[in-house]
Amino acid sequence: MSKAITQSVSELIASANEAKEKSEAKFSHFRVGAAIKTEAGDVYSAFNIESSSYGLSMCAERIALWTAITAGESKFKRIAIVSDAKDFCTPCGACRQVLYELAGDIEVYMTNMKGEVKKQKLSSLIPEAFTSKTLLNGRD
Ligand code: THU
Protein backbone atom coordinates (compact mmCIF):
# COMPACT_ATOMS: atom_id res chain seq x y z
CA MET A 1 0.00 0.00 0.00
CA SER A 2 1.45 3.32 -1.00
CA LYS A 3 0.46 6.11 1.36
CA ALA A 4 2.46 9.00 -0.04
CA ILE A 5 1.67 9.23 -3.72
CA THR A 6 3.26 11.79 -5.97
CA GLN A 7 1.27 14.64 -7.43
CA SER A 8 1.72 13.10 -10.86
CA VAL A 9 0.07 9.87 -9.69
CA SER A 10 -2.75 11.70 -7.93
CA GLU A 11 -3.37 13.66 -11.14
CA LEU A 12 -3.57 10.40 -13.07
CA ILE A 13 -6.05 9.05 -10.54
CA ALA A 14 -8.05 12.28 -10.89
CA SER A 15 -8.17 11.76 -14.68
CA ALA A 16 -9.43 8.21 -14.16
CA ASN A 17 -12.09 9.49 -11.74
CA GLU A 18 -13.18 12.14 -14.21
CA ALA A 19 -13.54 9.46 -16.90
CA LYS A 20 -15.48 7.19 -14.53
CA GLU A 21 -18.19 9.85 -14.23
CA LYS A 22 -18.99 9.27 -17.93
CA SER A 23 -19.12 5.45 -17.61
CA GLU A 24 -21.69 3.72 -19.83
CA ALA A 25 -22.49 0.93 -17.37
CA LYS A 26 -26.26 0.77 -17.66
CA PHE A 27 -26.42 -3.01 -17.10
CA SER A 28 -23.90 -3.72 -14.34
CA HIS A 29 -24.00 -0.21 -12.86
CA PHE A 30 -20.34 -0.84 -12.06
CA ARG A 31 -18.57 2.32 -13.14
CA VAL A 32 -14.87 2.11 -13.95
CA GLY A 33 -12.42 4.78 -15.06
CA ALA A 34 -8.86 4.30 -16.26
CA ALA A 35 -6.08 6.67 -17.22
CA ILE A 36 -2.83 5.56 -18.81
CA LYS A 37 0.29 7.71 -18.90
CA THR A 38 2.93 7.51 -21.60
CA GLU A 39 6.65 7.77 -20.95
CA ALA A 40 6.48 11.24 -22.50
CA GLY A 41 3.85 12.26 -19.94
CA ASP A 42 0.69 12.26 -22.04
CA VAL A 43 -2.48 10.88 -20.46
CA TYR A 44 -5.30 8.96 -22.15
CA SER A 45 -8.39 8.19 -20.10
CA ALA A 46 -11.49 6.10 -20.71
CA PHE A 47 -14.47 4.46 -19.02
CA ASN A 48 -16.19 1.11 -19.41
CA ILE A 49 -18.83 0.85 -22.11
CA GLU A 50 -21.49 -1.86 -21.95
CA SER A 51 -23.60 -3.56 -24.61
CA SER A 52 -27.03 -5.17 -24.20
CA SER A 53 -25.21 -8.22 -25.54
CA TYR A 54 -23.24 -8.25 -22.29
CA GLY A 55 -20.16 -10.06 -23.54
CA LEU A 56 -19.49 -7.28 -26.01
CA SER A 57 -18.97 -4.75 -23.22
CA MET A 58 -15.49 -3.35 -22.89
CA CYS A 59 -13.36 -2.48 -19.87
CA ALA A 60 -12.08 1.02 -19.22
CA GLU A 61 -8.44 -0.11 -19.21
CA ARG A 62 -8.48 -1.57 -22.69
CA ILE A 63 -10.32 1.40 -24.14
CA ALA A 64 -7.76 3.76 -22.58
CA LEU A 65 -4.88 1.71 -23.96
CA TRP A 66 -6.35 1.38 -27.44
CA THR A 67 -7.16 5.09 -27.54
CA ALA A 68 -3.52 5.83 -26.75
CA ILE A 69 -2.24 3.36 -29.32
CA THR A 70 -4.61 4.77 -31.92
CA ALA A 71 -3.07 8.19 -31.23
CA GLY A 72 0.34 6.72 -32.09
CA GLU A 73 1.63 5.99 -28.58
CA SER A 74 3.77 2.95 -27.86
CA LYS A 75 5.69 3.60 -24.64
CA PHE A 76 3.84 3.61 -21.34
CA LYS A 77 4.68 4.27 -17.70
CA ARG A 78 1.65 3.65 -15.54
CA ILE A 79 -2.12 3.20 -15.41
CA ALA A 80 -4.65 4.23 -12.76
CA ILE A 81 -7.88 2.28 -12.31
CA VAL A 82 -10.82 3.52 -10.24
CA SER A 83 -14.35 2.34 -9.48
CA ASP A 84 -17.04 2.90 -6.87
CA ALA A 85 -16.22 -0.34 -5.04
CA LYS A 86 -15.01 -0.59 -1.47
CA ASP A 87 -12.31 -2.98 -2.68
CA PHE A 88 -9.47 -2.07 -4.99
CA CYS A 89 -10.52 -2.40 -8.62
CA THR A 90 -7.93 -4.75 -10.05
CA PRO A 91 -7.81 -5.21 -13.81
CA CYS A 92 -9.58 -8.28 -15.21
CA GLY A 93 -7.57 -11.12 -16.72
CA ALA A 94 -8.15 -9.99 -20.30
CA CYS A 95 -6.94 -6.47 -19.51
CA ARG A 96 -3.86 -7.82 -17.72
CA GLN A 97 -2.93 -9.81 -20.80
CA VAL A 98 -3.52 -7.00 -23.29
CA LEU A 99 -1.84 -4.36 -21.12
CA TYR A 100 1.22 -6.55 -20.56
CA GLU A 101 1.58 -7.28 -24.25
CA LEU A 102 1.02 -3.75 -25.53
CA ALA A 103 2.18 -1.53 -22.65
CA GLY A 104 4.79 -3.74 -20.97
CA ASP A 105 5.54 -4.06 -17.28
CA ILE A 106 3.94 -0.77 -16.25
CA GLU A 107 2.96 0.42 -12.76
CA VAL A 108 -0.70 -0.24 -11.92
CA TYR A 109 -2.34 2.09 -9.39
CA MET A 110 -5.65 0.94 -7.98
CA THR A 111 -7.90 2.87 -5.63
CA ASN A 112 -10.79 2.02 -3.36
CA MET A 113 -13.61 4.10 -1.99
CA LYS A 114 -11.73 4.70 1.26
CA GLY A 115 -9.30 6.78 -0.78
CA GLU A 116 -6.49 4.25 -0.41
CA VAL A 117 -4.09 3.64 -3.25
CA LYS A 118 -2.34 0.37 -4.04
CA LYS A 119 0.55 0.10 -6.49
CA GLN A 120 1.67 -3.09 -8.20
CA LYS A 121 3.88 -3.85 -11.16
CA LEU A 122 1.80 -5.41 -13.93
CA SER A 123 4.10 -8.45 -14.02
CA SER A 124 3.06 -9.28 -10.45
CA LEU A 125 -0.59 -9.29 -11.58
CA ILE A 126 0.10 -11.58 -14.53
CA PRO A 127 3.08 -13.76 -13.71
CA GLU A 128 4.54 -15.85 -16.53
CA ALA A 129 2.34 -14.11 -19.09
CA PHE A 130 1.97 -15.59 -22.54
CA THR A 131 3.54 -13.23 -25.05
CA SER A 132 4.55 -13.06 -28.69
CA LYS A 133 8.01 -14.23 -27.61
CA THR A 134 6.56 -17.71 -27.07
CA LEU A 135 4.19 -17.45 -30.01
CA LEU A 136 6.97 -16.69 -32.44
CA ASN A 137 9.50 -19.04 -30.86
CA GLY A 138 10.83 -21.43 -33.46
CA ARG A 139 9.19 -19.61 -36.34
CA ASP A 140 12.16 -17.51 -37.34
N1 THU B 1 -14.73 -3.53 -15.79
C1 THU B 1 -13.76 -2.65 -16.16
O1 THU B 1 -14.01 -1.71 -16.92
N2 THU B 1 -12.51 -2.83 -15.67
C2 THU B 1 -12.18 -3.76 -14.73
O2 THU B 1 -11.04 -3.80 -14.31
C3 THU B 1 -13.18 -4.70 -14.24
C4 THU B 1 -14.48 -4.68 -14.94
C5 THU B 1 -16.10 -3.31 -16.28
C6 THU B 1 -16.60 -4.28 -17.29
C7 THU B 1 -18.10 -4.16 -17.08
O3 THU B 1 -18.57 -3.05 -17.81
C8 THU B 1 -18.24 -3.85 -15.60
O4 THU B 1 -16.97 -3.37 -15.17
C9 THU B 1 -18.65 -5.04 -14.74
O5 THU B 1 -17.83 -6.13 -14.97
Side-chain angles (χ1 to χ4, degrees):
M1 186 90 54
S2 138
K3 283 199 177 120
I5 54 169
T6 64
Q7 193 193 357
S8 154
V9 168
S10 61
E11 280 170 7
L12 193 66
I13 291 169
S15 296
N17 270 310
E18 205 177 305
K20 186 193 73 180
E21 292 303 311
K22 295 180 240 159
S23 167
E24 292 274 348
K26 62 180 158 192
F27 303 106
S28 72
H29 303 290
F30 189 77
R31 304 187 306 163
V32 183
I36 191 163
K37 188 168 200 168
T38 67
E39 279 186 3
D42 295 304
V43 171
Y44 296 84
S45 62
F47 46 85
N48 56 328
I49 303 177
E50 297 186 346
S51 164
S52 55
S53 180
Y54 300 161
L56 303 182
S57 301
M58 186 49 62
C59 295
E61 297 94 314
R62 271 176 285 166
I63 299 176
L65 176 65
W66 288 330
T67 302
I69 290 173
T70 302
E73 305 291 357
S74 59
K75 300 216 179 307
F76 299 95
K77 192 166 173 57
R78 58 176 68 109
I79 189 167
I81 307 163
V82 305
S83 77
D84 299 317
K86 280 189 200 143
D87 295 331
F88 292 106
C89 187
T90 56
C92 79
C95 286
R96 292 177 197 206
Q97 175 71 29
V98 172
L99 282 166
Y100 191 77
E101 282 198 70
L102 300 177
D105 194 12
I106 56 174
E107 299 167 354
V108 181
Y109 286 86
M110 295 150 281
T111 68
N112 62 15
M113 284 310 275
K114 283 190 229 156
E116 296 168 325
V117 179
K118 182 163 77 166
K119 172 191 172 185
Q120 274 182 262
K121 288 299 290 286
L122 185 55
S123 55
S124 73
L125 293 169
I126 182 161
E128 299 183 47
F130 179 78
T131 68
S132 62
K133 196 173 163 228
T134 310
L135 183 69
L136 301 175
N137 186 266
R139 282 208 205 159
D140 49 8

